[in-house]
Amino acid sequence: DVKIPSSVEPRNLASSFELRVTGGALFAEALHDGEWQVLSLDGRTVVPPSCGRNLSVPLDRLPRGVALVVFRAPGQAPVTRRWVGR
């Protein structure tokens, strides 16, 4: 018997981004490239969507209270984290 290694690796990106506030900005960092969105609780876009592994948004551009950070990686369900502000 010869075992052929699988060329397909399972991708688990669901828990792959961190959110933190440093130096007057909200930062998000993911393990893989994807699309970032920052939304108010009523679904309005707070900042233009961006792509990549990192997101940085000055705190003065975010709504007071709560904002939603959404990360979408190819082939994965969107991941949403809530940021509770000032």
Side-chain angles (χ1 to χ4, degrees), residues 55-83:
L55 171 74
S56 174
V57 181
L59 290 179
D60 62 359
R61 295 199 53 200
L62 298 173
R64 292 190 181 273
V66 179
L68 301 175
V69 178
V70 181
F71 177 69
R72 290 180 178 86
Q76 298 293 313
V79 178
T80 302
R81 298 256 165 77
R82 184 173 48 180
W83 171 78

Side-chain angles (χ1 to χ4, degrees), residues 13-71:
L13 304 178
S15 61
S16 63
F17 89 82
E18 296 179 22
L19 201 57
R20 70 184 185 285
V21 174
T22 305
L26 177 69
F27 293 95
E29 183 177 358
L31 297 173
H32 302 280
D33 287 335
E35 179 187 17
W36 298 97
Q37 285 185 294
V38 181
L39 308 170
S40 62
L41 287 181
D42 63 5
R44 290 180 291 129
T45 299
V46 175
V47 295
S50 64
C51 292
R53 291 183 182 183
N54 301 303
L55 171 74
S56 174
V57 181
L59 290 179
D60 62 359
R61 295 199 53 200
L62 298 173
R64 292 190 181 273
V66 179
L68 301 175
V69 178
V70 181
F71 177 69

